[in-house]
Amino acid sequence: MGVVTPPKQDRSRVTRQRLLEAAVACLAEHGWAGSTVSAVAERAGVSRGAAQHHFPTREDLFTAAVEYVAEERSQALRALPTQDRTAVVAALVDLYTGPLFRAALHLWVAASNEEQLRSRVTELEARVGRETHRIAVQLLNADESRPGVRETVQGLLDMARGLGLANLLTDDAARRDRVVAQWGALVEEALVEEALKDQGRKDRRPKDLG
């Protein structure tokens, strides 16, 4: 019996995924200057021609790679079980301390100097930022119609990015754990306090006269 060959469409999908994963790893390890289409193709075990068939330009390849892994992380966040808010804060911080964030940071730096990248990266980051914020609101069970809640969630995400930056130079795990625990408590307190204030405002409303 002969060897069963996967359908062409499946092989193409696998090749594309290998290229995307190799591009993210290459960008995270070597930065923009050291990440070429040839280097990524070699790492993925495919020819340069195959890489260019899927991604005609270098910019196409790397913006697609960061978007691909961002979506993978978003799916992981969406799949998180219901848990306390400190655990949610820790999960959000993890989003900014892995190879994706390192790769994205290299892409941001390159975009500041590469005109052809700038509009792509700006659009990509705006989309990823909106999606991450939306997922954070859901995971935290936060009601953004209450005053200050949106700013609390945005401040949490800004803090997470800051911890990700600090982690680029040194392993900051011990300090990060303490900061995450404190932020978990602060977020819990802020969201509960706003809910209580909102309930108090409702209780003080004049009752309809019957």
Side-chain angles (χ1 to χ4, degrees):
M1 187 173 178
V3 176
V4 177
T5 303
K8 184 177 180 180
Q9 186 177 6
D10 289 344
R11 294 200 306 273
S12 178
R13 186 164 51 246
V14 169
T15 298
R16 178 183 171 86
Q17 183 168 330
R18 285 166 61 186
L19 283 165
L20 293 173
E21 292 173 350
V24 170
C26 202
L27 197 59
E29 291 175 18
H30 305 297
W32 176 254
S35 298
T36 63
V37 174
S38 295
V40 171
E42 182 178 355
R43 188 174 190 129
V46 304
S47 68
R48 179 185 172 89
Q52 290 182 313
H53 170 74
H54 288 277
F55 304 101
T57 70
R58 186 184 184 201
E59 292 76 25
D60 289 336
L61 172 60
F62 286 103
T63 51
V66 174
E67 185 171 20
Y68 163 75
V69 185
E71 178 56 30
E72 291 289 301
R73 288 297 298 143
S74 292
Q75 287 182 14
L77 285 175
R78 285 192 290 265
L80 285 175
T82 301
Q83 54 191 326
D84 64 79
R85 284 173 172 144
T86 297
V88 172
V89 170
L92 290 168
V93 168
D94 284 346
L95 182 66
Y96 294 100
T97 54
L100 168 63
F101 181 74
R102 187 181 294 271
L105 185 61
H106 283 299
L107 202 61
W108 299 342
V109 172
S112 68
N113 299 312
E114 302 280 344
E115 186 65 37
Q116 67 270 31
L117 263 183
R118 191 172 304 143
S119 61
R120 293 172 182 236
V121 174
T122 300
E123 179 186 350
L124 169 63
E125 288 304 318
R127 189 164 69 251
V128 170
R130 286 193 299 268
E131 176 68 1
T132 303
H133 186 100
R134 187 185 66 78
I135 293 171
V137 168
Q138 290 179 343
L139 291 173
L140 293 167
N141 193 25
D143 183 356
E144 289 196 301
S145 68
R146 295 173 179 149
V149 170
R150 180 174 180 81
E151 289 74 18
T152 296
V153 175
Q154 193 58 59
L156 165 61
L157 294 175
D158 289 342
M159 178 277 298
R161 289 189 193 94
L163 289 179
L165 283 171
N167 196 63
L168 288 174
L169 296 177
T170 59
D171 182 357
D172 211 27
R175 187 177 72 90
R176 186 168 67 248
D177 288 345
R178 294 193 298 271
V179 172
V180 165
Q182 179 64 14
W183 261 89
L186 291 172
V187 168
E188 178 72 24
E189 181 181 350
L191 296 183
V192 169
E193 183 178 341
E194 284 303 327
L196 292 174
K197 285 181 181 179
D198 190 48
Q199 186 60 50
R201 285 190 290 268
K202 289 179 181 177
D203 292 343
R204 288 194 299 271
R205 288 174 185 167
K207 300 293 189 292
D208 293 335
L209 295 177

